[in-house]
Amino acid sequence: MLQKNLAVTFIFLLMLWGCSSEAPPMLYLDSAATYNELNQQVGCDSKFVEDKKSDIFNGSYLNHWMTWKGQVFTASSEEASLNLDGKGIQDLHVVFADKKGGYDLIQDEVITVKFLMKGSGGCILPFEGIQAEIIRESKS
């Protein structure tokens, strides 16, 4: 009886793991798309209707690893917002994988981050990413 209960518990745990809303990070695809490309297709500069922008974003960019370079607009230990186009507003907001990932950031410095795309940007709201990691830092 104990063996049967263990088997049922194991199967149940496997089913729960398989139904997780977040796949393991290694299963996500990389994208070489730039901020400017996304902004033209699905962001503020897009001429498409909202439904088409949503379909493009969900089909081609959501849950893809992106690597973008920008200037630190705001930052804390756990997250940062970057200006990517030099127009004075935040274009990307990321949450770091390491909860102290942004601890040493300096306002206005230029950094490159790799992140998992989770939200489409627009004219007011920035693109959103999680599991961000600083790839390279350079003082501006």
Side-chain angles (χ1 to χ4, degrees):
M1 183 68 163
L2 178 61
Q3 201 171 25
K4 183 178 178 183
N5 286 341
L6 286 174
V8 168
T9 302
F10 180 73
I11 291 170
F12 178 73
L13 290 174
L14 280 176
M15 288 179 4
L16 282 178
W17 180 69
C19 294
S20 173
S21 63
E22 293 292 327
M26 65 205 101
L27 298 180
Y28 295 123
L29 299 174
D30 286 327
S31 174
T34 66
Y35 164 75
N36 288 331
E37 291 170 335
L38 263 74
N39 194 39
Q40 288 289 320
Q41 289 184 358
V42 301
C44 188
D45 293 343
S46 177
K47 303 299 182 204
F48 296 130
V49 297
E50 292 301 316
D51 288 342
K52 184 167 184 172
K53 289 196 295 189
S54 180
D55 287 345
I56 292 170
F57 179 80
N58 291 335
S60 299
Y61 303 115
L62 179 65
N63 292 326
H64 282 68
W65 289 107
M66 315 294 278
T67 303
W68 290 352
K69 182 178 182 178
Q71 186 176 27
V72 175
F73 189 75
T74 61
S76 70
S77 293
E78 296 181 9
E79 57 193 309
S81 292
L82 304 178
N83 179 347
L84 303 172
D85 61 7
K87 293 183 182 174
I89 63 169
Q90 62 179 334
D91 302 305
L92 171 65
H93 175 261
V94 294
V95 176
F96 294 109
D98 174 357
K99 296 302 176 197
K100 295 280 188 182
Y103 182 77
D104 291 319
L105 289 177
I106 299 170
Q107 183 82 28
D108 296 328
E109 79 176 300
V110 176
I111 62 171
T112 300
V113 292
K114 182 174 183 176
F115 61 95
L116 188 62
M117 180 63 78
K118 285 297 184 178
S120 181
C123 295
I124 298 173
L125 297 175
F127 287 93
E128 295 283 337
I130 62 169
Q131 298 299 317
E133 177 182 338
I134 298 172
I135 303 300
R136 174 176 55 250
E137 293 184 33
S138 62
K139 304 293 181 201
S140 55

